[in-house]
Every structure is written in C-alpha cells, then in structure tokens.
Amino acid sequence: MNVRFTTLYLRKRFPLAISRGVSHGSENLFVGVTRDGITGWGELSPGRSEGAATAKLAQSALESFLAGLEDDLSIHEIDLRGTLQQLPRCAAAGLDIALWDWLGKKAGLPLYRLLGLGLPSAPTSVTVGIDTPEAVKERIPVILGHHRVRALKIKLGSPAGIEADQAMYTQAAKSAKPYCVRLRVDANGGWTVDDAIRMMDWLAERGTDYVEQPLREGQEEDLPALFRTRRLPIFVDESCRVSGDIPKWADCVDGVNLKLMKCGGITEALRIISTARAFGLKTMIGCMGESSMSISAGAALSGLVDHVDLDSHLNLDPDPCSGATLADGVVTPNPNPGHGARIELPEMQDA
C-alpha cells in the first residue's frame, strides 16, 4: 500500500478553555492510504497524552511502523501490530481510520453499513469552554443560534474554583434556556473529591444530565467514594483510554467516553463499546481538535452509543473537510462509501 501525509493547521473559531489550559487550534495530520487505485483517508489530532505531542512526531512514528509492515495484513492484524510496537494511539487512529475508509470504498458501502450498524439517533452536545459569565452570555447565542442543537456541554473545573464554576454554569443555563437544550458537564479532572461531591449535588438540583471526568486522571482510587454518594451519572474520559481500562473502574462509574484519538481508532473503539456493554456501562463518543474527517468516522459508530459529543468541527474556521452533517441535532453520516468525508483541497482528492 502507498501512504501519503499532509499536515494542516485547524484554527478554532472560539478558543477552547478547559481545566488544563486553552487551545486555539491544532496541527493535524491527514493520512492517505492507496491500494488498487482507491484512497482511504484518515486524520489524527496529536496530543502528548495520546503518545505524540505533534503531527511531525506522529508522522515519524507512522513512517517507522509502516516500513516494517507486510502489505497483506488485515485491519485487525495491523491494529494488533501497532499495539505490540507501542505505536502512539493518535497515530494508530489516523491509520486505522484511513484503512476502514478504504475498505468501505472498496466494498461500495458507507462505513456504518459495512460495520452492520444503523444511523445514529442520539443528539450531539456542543461545547462551551471555561470562561467568565459575561463571555458565556455572548458566546452561547452564537454557538446555539447557528445550528439545530439539542444538548450543551459546559466545561467546568475552573482553576478559579467551584464558585467560578457555579457562576459560569448559572449564566450558561440562563443563556441556553430559550434554546431548550439538555445540559451536560465536563470537569476534565478539575475537581477535588470534596469539590466533586459538592458540585454534583449542586448540579443535580439544576437538571444536569451527567458529569464527565470529575477527578483528574491518576486519582481513580477516589472514584468509589464519589460513586457511592453520587446524585448524577459519572462518565470517565481520561481515566479510560482503551478497553483494558474498563474492568478497573467498572464498579465505580456509570459510563465511559471513548475517543478515536485516545484509543487508537475505530478498531479499538468497537472493543471499548463491547467491553462497556459487558459490564453494564453506558457509552459516549467524544472528540479532540478534529475536522469533519475524524468526526465522520466517529459518526459511523455513534449508532452504538448512548451519548454523543462530536462537535469539534463546528468550531473550526474553516473546516478543511466535509462529511457528516448535523440533522435535527444529530451528527449523521452521509451515504457515500467509507466514512464519507472529503478534504476540500484539490491536490488531496483521490486520483
């Protein structure tokens, strides 16, 4: 197989602030895999915690990995080889997405149908990052006013403390009320145990659906105490990277959030969903700083999950790709073969 790489900078329309810092954009690597005159495309958004802090490092890792790879391996064999060789998970994701896209195009089927899945029905959340109440008041009408949105995810875990979180949430709920959206919270590990207990009680009284990653990664030993007193469902994100992490926390969480960049792509994502179901857990699919390319790949799986958070492409200026569309609040794959996304640059289209 022939593999080519292109790096593009994806600029966010609104910088995204979470408990760990602020992102204005990311340099993403696009991976094209060509066999039999067909090109499958994948995308990776790099991250230090995903094994490669930059697109350049991810490309270098992929080039080394591919140099020793036989040409006739299946997607699952390539995934296993990548795991054994400790290929960075985000790099594995870019390649895995491209291979599944290629297979769908080869079969002439949309990826969701190739996987035997139906179209998704769960609406996606759109995200408002940590900010002042004044900024939130201005931003939410922009975020919710241009799309048919049914759920809002509010990033909390402010370094300024839970009083700042409460002030921001109060304003976000007020500003979102005319749009009749559900409210969800992601603390990105920004709370202590005591803060998490207090905030979850406070949020439960205000109709929040669930809380994601209340405690920082590495503090999982405190999850049982939080779980026993919880008034809202707890989903873990950073604390659950691959399917093998699920048994460790299955008895002290309500669900897991999978991300293609975090787990290594579609192949491992399917394992996460199966493992979570085996333990009776709910599932969510999220995203990092991704274009419509990776979002379309995630959308192909989202008919299997309970909650969806595929919105990073909606905050790009511009999105270099087209693919899944937002229909009645649901990120919906298009009927084209593969994941259905295309890069909007002529030199990067299929031959």
Side-chain angles (χ1 to χ4, degrees):
M1 72 183 160
N2 177 265
V3 181
R4 53 178 162 155
F5 302 97
T6 299
T7 300
L8 295 175
Y9 182 74
L10 275 56
R11 183 168 68 90
K12 295 185 187 299
R13 181 169 52 142
F14 298 123
L16 180 64
I18 64 173
S19 63
R20 299 188 300 273
V22 181
S23 172
H24 296 268
S26 63
E27 232 180 23
N28 285 15
L29 184 66
F30 291 82
V31 182
V33 173
T34 302
R35 284 175 173 167
D36 303 332
I38 298 171
T39 301
W41 282 103
E43 175 192 6
L44 67 91
S45 182
R48 186 170 288 104
S49 58
E50 284 66 50
T54 66
K56 184 176 180 180
L57 288 172
Q59 180 174 336
S60 177
L62 279 171
E63 288 171 340
S64 297
F65 175 70
L66 290 164
L69 204 66
E70 300 94 319
D71 198 45
D72 60 347
L73 296 180
S74 70
I75 294 176
H76 286 272
E77 289 171 321
I78 292 171
D79 175 75
L80 176 59
R81 189 78 60 86
T83 300
L84 293 174
Q85 296 185 21
Q86 297 184 322
L87 182 65
R89 303 312 299 176
C90 60
L95 177 61
D96 188 78
I97 292 168
L99 292 171
W100 280 106
D101 185 45
W102 181 90
L103 189 60
K105 289 174 176 175
K106 180 73 171 177
L109 290 171
L111 181 54
Y112 71 91
R113 287 190 58 200
L114 182 72
L115 296 170
L117 307 179
L119 288 170
S121 59
T124 187
S125 302
V126 296
T127 304
V128 58
I130 294 173
D131 218 322
T132 64
E134 294 75 18
V136 168
K137 182 178 180 180
E138 293 181 1
R139 189 158 298 173
I140 283 183
V142 178
I143 294 173
L144 300 183
H146 294 316
H147 305 288
R148 175 65 180 94
V149 173
R150 292 158 56 188
L152 178 69
K153 177 175 282 189
I154 303 167
K155 294 283 190 178
L156 298 182
S158 171
I162 60 174
E163 289 77 15
D165 280 346
Q166 291 176 348
M168 180 188 158
Y169 182 95
T170 299
Q171 182 60 61
K174 181 178 179 181
S175 297
K177 189 173 182 179
Y179 301 95
C180 300
V181 295
R182 306 291 303 181
L183 300 179
R184 291 87 184 261
V185 162
D186 183 2
N188 283 115
W191 292 334
T192 65
V193 176
D194 289 342
D195 286 347
I197 292 171
R198 180 176 166 188
M199 282 300 297
M200 289 175 68
D201 286 346
W202 188 85
L203 291 166
E205 294 170 357
R206 286 155 178 82
T208 307
D209 286 347
Y210 56 76
V211 168
E212 187 181 338
Q213 197 66 33
L215 307 178
R216 64 173 173 80
E217 183 180 5
Q219 198 180 352
E220 289 82 12
E221 70 276 4
D222 292 321
L223 279 171
L226 185 61
F227 186 73
R228 284 194 298 269
T229 62
R230 76 198 188 286
R231 292 181 59 192
L232 290 174
I234 298 171
F235 282 75
V236 284
D237 179 1
E238 291 86 353
S239 294
C240 178
R241 296 188 173 276
V242 294
S243 55
D245 293 328
I246 293 174
K248 294 182 285 187
W249 323 128
D251 60 351
C252 53
V253 300
D254 297 285
V256 298
N257 182 10
L258 69 95
K259 293 176 179 173
L260 298 182
M261 299 302 114
K262 183 180 61 172
C263 74
I266 293 165
T267 306
E268 178 62 18
L270 291 169
R271 293 192 195 102
I272 290 174
I273 293 168
S274 296
T275 306
R277 283 188 170 180
F279 280 94
L281 300 178
K282 297 289 187 180
T283 54
M284 179 194 311
I285 186 166
C287 57
M288 294 174 62
E290 303 158 34
S291 77
S292 286
M293 175 76 68
S294 290
I295 294 298
S296 295
L301 301 178
S302 58
L304 278 175
V305 302
D306 300 291
H307 298 287
V308 177
D309 185 19
L310 296 175
D311 69 324
S312 60
H313 62 309
L314 302 176
N315 190 33
L316 294 181
D317 184 22
D319 183 351
C321 302
S322 62
T325 58
L326 194 65
D328 193 29
V330 179
V331 178
T332 306
N334 65 43
N336 296 327
H339 53 52
R342 290 177 61 83
I343 305 178
E344 299 301 319
L345 296 174
E347 66 271 22
M348 295 175 65
Q349 298 296 348
D350 296 356

CSV table of all heavy atoms in Angstrom, one decimal, residues 30 61 100 103 106 141 146 182 207 216 230 235 309 314 317 338:
chain,number,residue,atom,x,y,z
A,30,PHE,N,-3.1,14.4,8.2
A,30,PHE,CA,-4.1,13.6,7.4
A,30,PHE,C,-3.3,12.5,6.7
A,30,PHE,O,-2.2,12.7,6.1
A,30,PHE,CB,-4.8,14.5,6.4
A,30,PHE,CG,-5.7,15.5,7.0
A,30,PHE,CD1,-5.2,16.6,7.6
A,30,PHE,CD2,-7.1,15.2,7.1
A,30,PHE,CE1,-6.1,17.5,8.2
A,30,PHE,CE2,-7.9,16.0,7.7
A,30,PHE,CZ,-7.5,17.2,8.3
A,61,ALA,N,6.5,8.4,13.6
A,61,ALA,CA,6.2,7.1,14.2
A,61,ALA,C,5.5,6.2,13.2
A,61,ALA,O,5.7,5.0,13.1
A,61,ALA,CB,5.3,7.3,15.4
A,100,TRP,N,-10.2,1.8,7.4
A,100,TRP,CA,-11.6,1.5,7.3
A,100,TRP,C,-12.3,2.3,6.2
A,100,TRP,O,-13.2,1.8,5.6
A,100,TRP,CB,-12.2,1.8,8.7
A,100,TRP,CG,-12.0,0.7,9.7
A,100,TRP,CD1,-11.2,0.7,10.8
A,100,TRP,CD2,-12.7,-0.5,9.8
A,100,TRP,NE1,-11.3,-0.4,11.5
A,100,TRP,CE2,-12.2,-1.2,10.9
A,100,TRP,CE3,-13.7,-1.1,9.0
A,100,TRP,CZ2,-12.7,-2.5,11.2
A,100,TRP,CZ3,-14.1,-2.4,9.3
A,100,TRP,CH2,-13.7,-3.1,10.4
A,103,LEU,N,-11.6,0.4,3.1
A,103,LEU,CA,-12.4,-0.8,3.0
A,103,LEU,C,-13.8,-0.5,2.6
A,103,LEU,O,-14.5,-1.2,1.8
A,103,LEU,CB,-12.3,-1.6,4.3
A,103,LEU,CG,-12.9,-3.0,4.3
A,103,LEU,CD1,-12.2,-3.9,3.3
A,103,LEU,CD2,-12.9,-3.6,5.7
A,106,LYS,N,-13.9,0.3,-1.0
A,106,LYS,CA,-13.7,-0.9,-1.8
A,106,LYS,C,-14.9,-1.7,-1.9
A,106,LYS,O,-15.3,-2.3,-3.0
A,106,LYS,CB,-12.6,-1.8,-1.2
A,106,LYS,CG,-12.2,-3.1,-1.9
A,106,LYS,CD,-11.5,-2.9,-3.1
A,106,LYS,CE,-11.0,-4.2,-3.7
A,106,LYS,NZ,-10.3,-4.0,-5.0
A,141,PRO,N,-25.4,32.3,22.5
A,141,PRO,CA,-26.3,32.5,21.3
A,141,PRO,C,-25.6,32.3,20.0
A,141,PRO,O,-26.3,31.8,19.0
A,141,PRO,CB,-26.7,34.0,21.5
A,141,PRO,CG,-26.6,34.2,22.9
A,141,PRO,CD,-25.4,33.4,23.4
A,146,HIS,N,-26.7,29.1,15.4
A,146,HIS,CA,-26.4,28.8,14.0
A,146,HIS,C,-26.6,27.3,13.7
A,146,HIS,O,-26.4,26.9,12.6
A,146,HIS,CB,-24.9,29.1,13.7
A,146,HIS,CG,-24.7,30.6,13.8
A,146,HIS,ND1,-25.5,31.5,13.2
A,146,HIS,CD2,-23.7,31.3,14.3
A,146,HIS,CE1,-25.1,32.8,13.4
A,146,HIS,NE2,-23.9,32.7,14.1
A,182,ARG,N,-30.6,20.2,26.4
A,182,ARG,CA,-30.1,19.5,27.6
A,182,ARG,C,-28.8,20.0,28.0
A,182,ARG,O,-28.0,20.5,27.2
A,182,ARG,CB,-30.0,18.0,27.3
A,182,ARG,CG,-31.2,17.3,26.7
A,182,ARG,CD,-32.3,17.2,27.7
A,182,ARG,NE,-32.0,16.5,28.9
A,182,ARG,CZ,-32.8,16.2,29.9
A,182,ARG,NH1,-34.1,16.7,29.8
A,182,ARG,NH2,-32.4,15.6,31.0
A,207,GLY,N,-30.8,20.1,37.2
A,207,GLY,CA,-31.2,19.4,36.0
A,207,GLY,C,-30.1,18.9,35.0
A,207,GLY,O,-30.4,18.6,33.9
A,216,ARG,N,-9.2,14.1,38.5
A,216,ARG,CA,-8.1,14.0,37.5
A,216,ARG,C,-7.7,12.6,37.2
A,216,ARG,O,-7.8,11.7,38.1
A,216,ARG,CB,-6.9,14.8,38.0
A,216,ARG,CG,-6.3,14.3,39.3
A,216,ARG,CD,-5.0,15.0,39.6
A,216,ARG,NE,-4.5,14.6,40.9
A,216,ARG,CZ,-3.8,13.5,41.2
A,216,ARG,NH1,-3.5,12.7,40.2
A,216,ARG,NH2,-3.4,13.2,42.4
A,230,ARG,N,-23.0,9.7,44.7
A,230,ARG,CA,-23.3,10.4,43.5
A,230,ARG,C,-24.8,10.7,43.4
A,230,ARG,O,-25.6,9.8,43.7
A,230,ARG,CB,-22.8,9.7,42.3
A,230,ARG,CG,-23.7,8.6,41.8
A,230,ARG,CD,-22.9,7.7,40.9
A,230,ARG,NE,-23.7,6.6,40.3
A,230,ARG,CZ,-24.1,5.5,40.9
A,230,ARG,NH1,-23.9,5.4,42.2
A,230,ARG,NH2,-24.9,4.6,40.3
A,235,PHE,N,-19.3,9.7,34.1
A,235,PHE,CA,-18.6,9.1,33.0
A,235,PHE,C,-17.1,9.5,33.1
A,235,PHE,O,-16.8,10.6,33.5
A,235,PHE,CB,-19.1,9.7,31.7
A,235,PHE,CG,-20.4,9.2,31.2
A,235,PHE,CD1,-21.6,9.5,31.8
A,235,PHE,CD2,-20.5,8.3,30.1
A,235,PHE,CE1,-22.8,9.0,31.4
A,235,PHE,CE2,-21.7,7.7,29.7
A,235,PHE,CZ,-22.9,8.1,30.3
A,309,ASP,N,-20.7,13.3,21.6
A,309,ASP,CA,-20.1,14.6,21.8
A,309,ASP,C,-19.1,14.8,20.6
A,309,ASP,O,-17.9,14.9,20.8
A,309,ASP,CB,-19.3,14.7,23.1
A,309,ASP,CG,-18.7,16.1,23.4
A,309,ASP,OD1,-19.2,17.0,22.8
A,309,ASP,OD2,-17.8,16.1,24.3
A,314,LEU,N,-17.5,21.9,14.3
A,314,LEU,CA,-18.4,23.0,14.3
A,314,LEU,C,-17.7,24.3,14.8
A,314,LEU,O,-18.2,25.4,14.6
A,314,LEU,CB,-19.6,22.7,15.1
A,314,LEU,CG,-20.5,21.5,14.7
A,314,LEU,CD1,-21.6,21.3,15.7
A,314,LEU,CD2,-21.0,21.7,13.3
A,317,ASP,N,-12.5,27.3,11.8
A,317,ASP,CA,-12.6,28.4,10.9
A,317,ASP,C,-11.4,28.5,10.0
A,317,ASP,O,-10.4,29.1,10.3
A,317,ASP,CB,-12.7,29.7,11.7
A,317,ASP,CG,-13.0,30.9,10.8
A,317,ASP,OD1,-13.4,30.7,9.7
A,317,ASP,OD2,-12.7,32.0,11.3
A,338,GLY,N,-17.3,4.4,2.5
A,338,GLY,CA,-16.3,4.8,3.5
A,338,GLY,C,-17.0,5.7,4.6
A,338,GLY,O,-18.2,5.6,4.8
